[in-house]
Amino acid sequence: MFKKYWKFFVIFWSVVLVGIIGVFVFFWLISAGKLGFMPTFEELENPNNRFASEVYFADGPIMNRYFEKENRKYIEYREIPQSVIDALIATEDVRFYEHEGVDKISMLRVFFKTVLLGHRSSGGGSTLSQQLAKNLYPRDEQQVTFIPVVKLKEMFTAHRLENIYSKDDILTLYLNTVSFGENTFGIESAAQKYFSTSASDLTIPQAATLIGMLKGPSRYNPRLHPERALNRRNTVIDQMMKYDYLDEETGEKIKQEELQLHYIPVNHFSGLAPYLREKIRRDADRILKEYNEKYGTNYNLYKDGLILKTTLDAEMQQYAENAVQEHMKKLQQSYYTHLGKQEPWDKNPAILKNAIQNSTVYQRLKHQGLAEKDILKILNEKKAMLVYSPEEGEMRVDYSSIDSIKHYLKILHPAMIAVEPQSGKVKAWVGDLNYKYFQYDQVEAPRQVGSV
């Protein structure tokens, strides 16, 4: 009898011991990077974040940013308002200052509510440190897809981050890497895009709006879904009141405020001096390539956060663009009056024919193997489209493709450049009417001396 129980006892504890060893081996394999990439301490100390390069006017204002996928500007901890920190902790990780990367209490809550009780709305168990680990090393770039392994990797990485960085440093890294939708990363870029201000000047409701977006940058985008974003902002305010970051009177007053966005889209054609910005981009790429080859460096315009300063005067540039727009309205109307019932191509039909045959839509149809007669039939079909007019700006019309080509053939194209004679500094640069519709820079167009 004793031998029977002894045998059972040995087998039971052998299985337990093997299980414990197996768990430790499994954890070691993850920690050592044997089950997919795991960042080393050295890599965590030097995260490979991409920061947009910035171009500035001579008198201070930012002109543009150059980036590939991530519009991000770095901000120091001292520049982050306390309201942003409070909103973040109250909403995303209320025990942030108590744990070392993994919140065991939150994990147990999620386990019992989700796994045992089947509650779908029990919330997530990820700390800010774990979220930072996911931001630095996104799941879609992992070499493994088994979610428990990925989650454990994030927990190990979060613990390592806590050993390397202070809590303030982790908050700074997090707020500089987190996504706010529309290719916008980091609290500074988000503040500039959605509220036309710097992160340091965010008000409490603005801070709550941006922090509210972290739950779902697309779902709670204040531009696309203002009502949903407003409700989410007020949820963040409620959390701040719940954990005593805001008194009830102030919180309830803020919840009554409207959203009040001041959205600034970031694209190639909005803002001042788009033609010069494109020239600067090409020149900067060339200069950096030559510099890298000469000195063995690896500077990149789109991810190294470089600062480019120009001689352009923001006020003069605005005056120049306004003057060109106003003058061209009158000049274009005068040109139409001069033409009367004539067309610019009447005496030389090849002008129109070449324009049609060189158009993108003609070339695409020809590439599909269509006959000339069929191509022209399609090009003469009217449809709703957006066109640009010097007098009206962007307008929606019912044009055929050939109507559109004729419309643009009659538009005059200006150029303007202002140079300080004593120094040769360029103060204003207008390359054409509208960069969205006309990418060719007329300032750089070859001209006869008399035309200049």
Side-chain angles (χ1 to χ4, degrees):
M1 189 68 129
F2 176 76
K3 288 183 179 181
K4 181 180 177 181
Y5 282 111
W6 174 252
K7 185 178 181 182
F8 173 79
F9 180 81
V10 171
I11 293 173
F12 173 78
W13 285 109
S14 296
V15 171
V16 170
L17 184 61
V18 169
I20 293 173
I21 294 173
V23 170
F24 274 101
V25 170
F26 178 63
F27 277 29
W28 177 83
L29 289 172
I30 294 174
S31 178
K34 304 298 183 181
L35 297 179
F37 172 76
M38 266 294 291
T40 63
F41 281 94
E42 183 180 357
E43 287 169 331
L44 289 173
E45 287 175 347
N46 301 280
N48 186 26
N49 287 328
R50 296 182 176 187
F51 294 101
S53 294
E54 297 180 330
V55 190
Y56 286 87
F57 287 100
D59 46 342
I62 186 170
M63 184 190 296
N64 193 37
R65 283 201 177 113
Y66 299 126
F67 59 93
E68 286 179 337
K69 295 181 180 178
E70 301 178 0
N71 176 20
R72 179 192 285 122
K73 176 177 171 58
Y74 187 79
I75 185 173
E76 301 283 352
Y77 180 80
R78 65 177 182 274
E79 300 173 275
I80 303 172
Q82 190 60 44
S83 59
V84 172
I85 303 295
D86 293 344
L88 179 64
I89 292 174
T91 309
E92 296 292 325
D93 189 357
V94 72
R95 282 181 288 277
F96 174 70
Y97 290 106
E98 300 168 20
H99 62 67
E100 296 182 354
V102 179
D103 187 352
K104 301 178 183 65
I105 296 174
S106 183
M107 285 181 63
L108 286 172
R109 169 179 57 79
V110 172
F111 176 78
F112 279 107
K113 286 189 175 182
T114 304
V115 178
L116 299 183
L117 301 179
H119 293 176
R120 294 185 178 183
S121 58
S122 60
S126 293
T127 64
L128 287 174
S129 302
Q130 287 173 260
Q131 293 180 43
L132 173 59
K134 187 166 63 175
N135 292 341
L136 293 175
Y137 305 98
R139 290 180 178 180
D140 57 2
E141 296 179 8
Q142 298 289 334
Q143 297 172 349
V144 290
T145 56
F146 188 48
I147 293 299
V149 173
V150 174
K151 196 72 177 177
L152 284 170
K153 282 157 59 71
E154 289 171 1
M155 291 167 63
F156 280 118
T157 303
H159 187 67
R160 289 181 180 181
L161 286 167
E162 293 271 352
N163 289 332
I164 296 171
Y165 295 105
S166 68
K167 290 290 186 179
D168 290 353
D169 289 336
I170 288 174
L171 288 171
T172 305
L173 268 173
Y174 179 88
L175 286 168
N176 275 301
T177 57
V178 70
S179 170
F180 289 90
E182 300 188 19
N183 291 327
T184 300
F185 292 78
I187 192 72
E188 177 66 18
S189 294
Q192 293 181 7
K193 168 170 273 192
Y194 294 106
F195 296 106
S196 302
T197 187
S198 63
S200 58
D201 295 324
L202 284 170
T203 63
I204 295 175
Q206 289 172 344
T209 301
L210 294 180
I211 295 303
M213 293 179 68
L214 301 181
K215 187 176 181 180
S218 298
R219 179 173 175 78
Y220 298 105
N221 185 309
R223 179 180 69 89
L224 301 174
H225 310 289
E227 186 175 350
R228 196 182 292 164
L230 181 63
N231 292 334
R232 178 62 185 162
R233 180 202 72 178
N234 290 345
T235 298
V236 174
I237 297 297
D238 286 335
Q239 288 294 104
M240 294 176 75
M241 289 191 290
K242 178 180 178 180
Y243 294 107
D244 297 325
Y245 290 111
L246 272 180
D247 61 81
E248 189 172 347
E249 182 182 354
T250 303
E252 291 299 331
K253 185 177 179 181
I254 289 173
K255 286 167 64 177
Q256 301 306 314
E257 295 184 18
E258 296 180 357
L259 208 54
Q260 295 182 343
L261 282 189
H262 297 282
Y263 181 82
I264 297 180
V266 178
N267 52 48
H268 296 300
F269 45 84
S270 64
L272 292 174
Y275 292 92
L276 183 60
R277 288 178 350 222
E278 174 57 20
K279 176 175 172 54
I280 291 170
R281 185 192 67 80
R282 295 195 310 268
D283 288 350
D285 262 342
R286 174 181 52 79
I287 292 169
L288 286 173
K289 183 179 179 181
E290 293 172 355
Y291 187 92
N292 289 337
E293 289 176 354
K294 184 175 181 179
Y295 295 101
T297 52
N298 193 33
Y299 289 112
N300 188 299
L301 181 66
Y302 308 102
K303 58 184 181 182
D304 284 343
L306 305 176
I307 301 297
L308 292 78
K309 295 183 178 180
T310 72
T311 60
L312 226 63
D313 183 291
E315 189 175 19
M316 286 182 66
Q317 180 67 28
Q318 186 67 71
Y319 282 136
E321 293 189 13
N322 291 345
V324 167
Q325 293 290 333
E326 287 302 313
H327 180 65
M328 291 309 297
K329 288 180 183 178
K330 300 173 184 176
L331 194 61
Q332 188 69 50
Q333 193 57 52
S334 176
Y335 179 62
Y336 288 147
T337 302
H338 171 73
L339 282 176
K341 295 182 179 181
Q342 295 181 328
E343 300 289 7
W345 51 85
D346 282 349
K347 293 182 179 180
N348 187 2
I351 294 174
L352 178 59
K353 183 179 179 181
N354 290 338
I356 292 172
Q357 292 181 345
N358 289 329
S359 67
T360 304
V361 62
Y362 181 95
Q363 292 294 328
R364 176 170 52 81
L365 294 171
K366 186 177 181 180
H367 183 71
Q368 292 175 6
L370 272 67
E372 182 78 9
K373 181 180 68 173
D374 296 325
I375 293 175
L376 293 176
K377 182 181 178 180
I378 294 172
L379 294 184
N380 274 300
E381 293 175 355
K382 292 188 181 296
K383 56 194 172 186
M385 65 172 68
L386 284 172
V387 297
Y388 179 83
S389 162
E391 305 101 313
E392 303 294 333
E394 193 173 65
M395 58 183 188
R396 187 169 293 278
V397 294
D398 285 324
Y399 273 3
S400 68
S401 296
I402 290 181
D403 290 336
S404 173
I405 292 168
K406 290 178 178 179
H407 169 77
Y408 286 118
L409 277 177
K410 290 188 280 188
I411 289 180
L412 304 176
H413 297 276
M416 178 179 179
I417 184 169
V419 180
E420 188 177 78
Q422 296 86 352
S423 64
K425 293 179 180 178
V426 175
K427 292 296 183 179
W429 181 298
V430 183
D432 207 326
L433 288 165
N434 186 293
Y435 189 79
K436 179 180 178 180
Y437 288 90
F438 313 109
Q439 272 87 52
Y440 186 73
D441 191 343
Q442 299 292 335
V443 170
E444 296 191 284
R447 300 184 187 280
Q448 297 176 354
V449 176
S451 297
V452 173

